[in-house]
Amino acid sequence: MTTNSYARPSGRAHDELRQVRITRNFTIHAEGSVLVEFGNTKVLCTASVDEKVPPFRRGSGEGWVTAEYGMLPRSTHTRSDREAAKGKQSGRTQEIQRLIGRALRAVFDLEALGERTIVLDCDVLQADGGTRTAAITGAFVAAQDAVNGLLREFKVSRNPIREPVAAVSVGMVEGTPLLDLEYLEDSACDTDMNVVMTGAGKFIEVQGTAEGQPFSREQLDTMLELAQKGILALQDKQREALAG
Amino acid sequence: MTTNSYARPSGRAHDELRQVRITRNFTIHAEGSVLVEFGNTKVLCTASVDEKVPPFRRGSGEGWVTAEYGMLPRSTHTRSDREAAKGKQSGRTQEIQRLIGRALRAVFDLEALGERTIVLDCDVLQADGGTRTAAITGAFVAAQDAVNGLLREFKVSRNPIREPVAAVSVGMVEGTPLLDLEYLEDSACDTDMNVVMTGAGKFIEVQGTAEGQPFSREQLDTMLELAQKGILALQDKQREALAG
Amino acid sequence: MTTNSYARPSGRAHDELRQVRITRNFTIHAEGSVLVEFGNTKVLCTASVDEKVPPFRRGSGEGWVTAEYGMLPRSTHTRSDREAAKGKQSGRTQEIQRLIGRALRAVFDLEALGERTIVLDCDVLQADGGTRTAAITGAFVAAQDAVNGLLREFKVSRNPIREPVAAVSVGMVEGTPLLDLEYLEDSACDTDMNVVMTGAGKFIEVQGTAEGQPFSREQLDTMLELAQKGILALQDKQREALAG
Amino acid sequence: MTTNSYARPSGRAHDELRQVRITRNFTIHAEGSVLVEFGNTKVLCTASVDEKVPPFRRGSGEGWVTAEYGMLPRSTHTRSDREAAKGKQSGRTQEIQRLIGRALRAVFDLEALGERTIVLDCDVLQADGGTRTAAITGAFVAAQDAVNGLLREFKVSRNPIREPVAAVSVGMVEGTPLLDLEYLEDSACDTDMNVVMTGAGKFIEVQGTAEGQPFSREQLDTMLELAQKGILALQDKQREALAG
Amino acid sequence: MTTNSYARPSGRAHDELRQVRITRNFTIHAEGSVLVEFGNTKVLCTASVDEKVPPFRRGSGEGWVTAEYGMLPRSTHTRSDREAAKGKQSGRTQEIQRLIGRALRAVFDLEALGERTIVLDCDVLQADGGTRTAAITGAFVAAQDAVNGLLREFKVSRNPIREPVAAVSVGMVEGTPLLDLEYLEDSACDTDMNVVMTGAGKFIEVQGTAEGQPFSREQLDTMLELAQKGILALQDKQREALAG
Amino acid sequence: MTTNSYARPSGRAHDELRQVRITRNFTIHAEGSVLVEFGNTKVLCTASVDEKVPPFRRGSGEGWVTAEYGMLPRSTHTRSDREAAKGKQSGRTQEIQRLIGRALRAVFDLEALGERTIVLDCDVLQADGGTRTAAITGAFVAAQDAVNGLLREFKVSRNPIREPVAAVSVGMVEGTPLLDLEYLEDSACDTDMNVVMTGAGKFIEVQGTAEGQPFSREQLDTMLELAQKGILALQDKQREALAG
């Protein structure tokens, strides 16, 4: 990989994350409540502990982790219809919340969690690309806060979270590989890839989609390397926030 | 009426509002975007301008003002199911958004607005009682910001907002009339009343409900006076915010 | 209050109810079945006793009272779409049935009722304004008939209804306060207010809405006095019907 | 056919209709409004004229006739859930309203009707078996009233109704053929058959269902003869009502 | 009945079935799986055994038989919208699946079946008229295969199927009675009748509908005789298939 | 990659596809109709040409390609509820049909297609893992058949399909990389990856999910190579089918 001809609207380097901020205790009722910002993308992630499990888990001794995702109607450039008013969640919404749920579940030891559910609600207050990767990154911190509460209250005897998880988007825009796409870049890109990784540097999800030109194996490799770099930086941000 | 035997959890006087904060430009995409806080109640109110009107208004030369309301699942003490996932809005949600819409419409000159719609989205980030009155109070400021944009762009030639509007709740708790109920007070009250008033001191809505004991005419009068006092203070806050 | 410049289409005095008829045992299956007529407004109110309570009441030893409301598609001047065919109840329908439920619940001693539910179905056969107030007024009589059955069968040992409840609309039309608005008046009014009162003359609900001009405190007082007068007359009609 | 061993709860002869009453102008807004009573079964049938046709008819020069059916929740012995609240019409409801629509459409000259729709709303106020046959019989009278209005206003130049239509149920209960089943008989019957016939004595619909024992060809013939006899009597009632 | 002036598109005699094929074990997972073909109409009928019964049957010691019906979107000449995507089943779908369920239930001894459910799924792969009659005819064979499995596994001690059941359509097209209508004939017919009969030659369902001209008693008789003849032939096909 | 310790239930080599069959013209009405079989997985893929485009494409001069996916209720080991009866499509269904749509759209020149839509319906008749990859592979052949029809009828002047597309699943089961997972393997796998590639060997979609253990970069590389090998073989099958 050599040329990086595409000039990013923000002036960022092609392998540079947006400014990332993770604010804990953003609201008061949830067991974990995090506002995560990837530049202008702002997602409120709450973790709620429910002392029940879904029917398919009852009596198993194991817990469950699930996620829901939503966008406020005017979180976007033009107003989107409210899904509650339309009476159903779009395919996109369902796809994203299934992704967030799988990503978080992958780092949980559900037996250690015990028969309870952690529900992660990720609501986009302001969107500028990368809402699903910001959501996963923030939901991990909210989940950790909720789990810390369970540990403090002796409801669980060992930490049910095995390792951190974070996510980032990468893409090819006009032949240039870019890290952490913002909305304008996302609209223009040929390939959009979302990568979810653990703290140990292994993959939980790799989802690459050619929006324009199909991508070669070489481009795939380049994007995976960019993603790995970005996720390491995001995990530093998560650690700082949890230490703060 | 003299005695105020009920001690408010917050230590507030019976006729004292919670701390009110109105933050404009809270998000970047909407034509008006206001975070309104009545103590721990936080509602994000956005005003979106849509250059269309609903079918029943087409060709009338007049505009429309409407509102939608939602609560984030974990804005409350215990998590509520997401309405988009349930596939319908509750009766309570519909009642509140109809109220907000009527309240705002009442101060608009729809002819001056022209054939366009202002949609007010009021989404509760954190709930502690009085979400509908906070929403009306904040939505007015968001609507004014959106209208100011229309004036600046010469899309409307005169201000389509005739006067300010704000709202507050009042109630009777253990015989004591209280202004601006927070959640604990709301749960305990015999009567819960929401009052919407114009800047000129007239009523747009009066909705009083006996949750426990029916209320007398004398109690009604007392509550209306408290409400009027509170709304005058809220309109000062609105003015300050718009001047800021 | 002095001037009454507005001439009512029906020739009624401004403080005169329409002809009110309450017909008990209108249909045969329900425990209480009442046709209530406020002039041309005709609502069939049935009270059904269900020996179960909703989940949130189970094991409480207390009963529940709830209401549903509907309009036949051609109860109105022009045909309205059938809500069952559209697949959802409108916000207006939900708002009205919540109001009826609260109004009736307010006069019930739910502990004396025991763990059973009374469902009040209010279906408008013909509409000419004031369907919700007629529904409350008729539902009370149907509920009393159902309760009388429970008493006769020794299912309850004391009357769970504490006092009567009735409702009426009032409004300001062209500056004139009017009692018991019919459709033409309702369409023309500046303020529409629904008032629900107990037999002891206290308020259960006061819902005033400025449809046109906001209303002053003086106008509010005038309307409340008109409403109180009308409700006393309606309670006489209820007593006569139950004695009949 | 010889023996008629089954004694009907009402004491009716096996080939005797219940008391039939057809009351026109039962409500005031609809172009046709008929209360039809087959004994304790009471159905309100309204005919509404809509000066539009469904999309698949637009520009055809022809009209449309359609029907909707509903039961009030407490029209039955035990309360049924309200379909508007459940958010969908049951299969039974849809089957019945499709039947009513086909039956009425069969006697209409849709070209003579012109590009308008007649909507027949059949709402059961009280049910005791035979609601669909009563509905068809009453809907015809309501449709005729609506058509008479169109003729009087010169909106149609010739009568778009070619001939009358009426319907009745027949069944086999304990080996006895019965005309016009009431609820108790309907629950006990081996075969339930609904027959729709024109004034000229021809069939529009024959729907026979073995609920218990399958039925022989001989039993089918017997039931068809009973039905024919009953429908002739019903058409007399329709004529009387329209002449009244 | 004399003249048979109408020439069938396929060249079939007026009383001739289309080529009927019944293929068992068409798919591998279901307890019974049958592809039934009436000429170009192809329906996949599966019978699934569920060791539960619906709530209204629990504890009765009796089983249940039910059916669901669907059409693949492009089983028809022009593509139909997918019902799962539209969010509801059409009235036609519900009417047909209720018919199939009643037809199969009529030949079952539900006590001998025991507290379990047989679900018959009839999915149209290709439609050319007569899908509901083909579905009933094929569902019987699938149900028999499922029951044979229960007998082999000693889950039932005697055959819960009392006798075979099959179905066929008949109609009047341009005055000619026709057996087993294909799509072109169905579109052109004055009367369309579906007949369901048992192996013993008795009727389970007779559903005749005048689509154009009402039909006389004589025409009805002719159609019933045609149907009986066709059903005898279909029952031979069922026997052959089950013997094969 | 060395060891292949996991013995596949089918006895296949770890890099061996199941038997693949592609049957064109499986049904008669659709412009393209293909039954695709990957071993026991059988999916009916139809391509329907609609001479309209969705609203967001109107007037653009460009066409659209979209997909819908469904499973027959008893295509699976145990019966699944019918989505049409439940009233909504699951998140999984929506995710899969969005994937199929994107995959096919990626090889289409929508301008050459002109303002028309190709709808690909992929209905699973029998499921044994890999339904989405079989669907994409079969849908391409159905789409090509539909396009060939448009070319023959001179509705399009040049082939709007730029290159073939096919898809296959790969996974890690007990440390062994496997090509084309069947149901038992899919349930047991640690990682499940679906890969969509063009004829030119480039990627359209890469979707890898850790169901159990997260996967390393080395494992990802191994799986991508397996997938590429499988897809080349599938494209041979597609060519053969289209040549046949």
Side-chain angles (χ1 to χ4, degrees), chain D residues 24 49 75 100 102 122 125 152 180 207 222 231 236 244:
Chain D
R24 286 163 64 210
V49 177
S75 59
I100 302 170
R102 282 198 310 270
C122 301
L125 303 188
R152 271 196 307 274
D180 187 21
Q207 294 196 340
T222 303
I231 287 175
D236 285 344

Side-chain angles (χ1 to χ4, degrees), chain F residues 81-121:
Chain F
D81 287 340
R82 191 176 288 266
E83 292 190 331
K86 286 195 295 183
K88 65 174 181 176
Q89 295 179 301
S90 69
R92 177 187 174 275
T93 291
Q94 293 196 56
E95 205 168 305
I96 292 176
Q97 68 193 8
R98 283 158 56 89
L99 170 65
I100 302 171
R102 283 198 308 270
L104 271 288
R105 218 149 42 228
V107 296
F108 259 83
D109 173 344
L110 296 173
E111 202 181 310
L113 180 57
E115 272 200 39
R116 58 177 59 82
T117 300
I118 294 186
V119 184
L120 300 157
D121 285 290

Side-chain angles (χ1 to χ4, degrees), chain A residues 26-31 40 42 44 46-49 68-89 97 119-123 125-128, chain B residues 26-31 40 42 44 46-49 68-89 97 119-123 125-128:
Chain A
F26 188 73
T27 56
I28 58 175
H29 300 309
E31 284 72 32
N40 278 328
K42 303 185 183 195
L44 173 53
T46 60
S48 299
V49 177
E68 295 192 2
Y69 171 92
M71 297 183 88
L72 295 194
R74 197 54 199 280
S75 58
T76 43
H77 286 78
T78 56
R79 187 177 182 274
S80 322
D81 287 340
R82 191 176 288 265
E83 293 190 331
K86 287 195 295 183
K88 64 175 181 176
Q89 294 179 303
Q97 66 193 10
V119 184
L120 299 156
D121 285 291
C122 301
D123 287 274
L125 304 188
Q126 190 171 283
D128 188 32
Chain B
F26 188 72
T27 56
I28 57 176
H29 300 310
E31 283 73 32
N40 278 327
K42 303 185 184 195
L44 172 54
T46 58
S48 299
V49 177
E68 295 194 1
Y69 171 92
M71 298 183 86
L72 294 194
R74 198 54 199 279
S75 59
T76 43
H77 286 78
T78 57
R79 188 178 181 274
S80 321
D81 286 340
R82 190 176 289 265
E83 292 190 331
K86 287 196 293 183
K88 64 175 181 175
Q89 294 178 303
Q97 66 193 10
V119 183
L120 299 157
D121 285 290
C122 300
D123 286 274
L125 304 189
Q126 189 172 284
D128 189 31

Side-chain angles (χ1 to χ4, degrees), chain B residues 90-178:
Chain B
S90 71
R92 176 186 175 276
T93 291
Q94 293 194 56
E95 207 168 302
I96 293 175
Q97 66 193 10
R98 283 159 56 88
L99 169 66
I100 302 171
R102 283 197 309 270
L104 270 288
R105 220 149 39 230
V107 296
F108 259 84
D109 174 344
L110 295 174
E111 202 180 311
L113 180 58
E115 271 200 41
R116 56 176 60 84
T117 299
I118 294 185
V119 183
L120 299 157
D121 285 290
C122 300
D123 286 274
V124 178
L125 304 189
Q126 189 172 284
D128 189 31
T131 62
R132 78 190 72 187
T133 52
I136 290 168
T137 305
F140 168 72
V141 178
Q144 185 66 65
D145 269 335
V147 158
N148 289 344
L150 292 172
L151 285 163
R152 270 195 307 274
E153 298 164 20
F154 302 106
K155 288 189 175 167
V156 297
S157 54
R158 56 190 164 99
N159 190 347
I161 297 182
R162 283 191 290 247
E163 54 180 331
V165 57
V168 81
S169 69
V170 285
M172 298 298 301
V173 181
E174 299 174 14
T176 307
L178 298 181

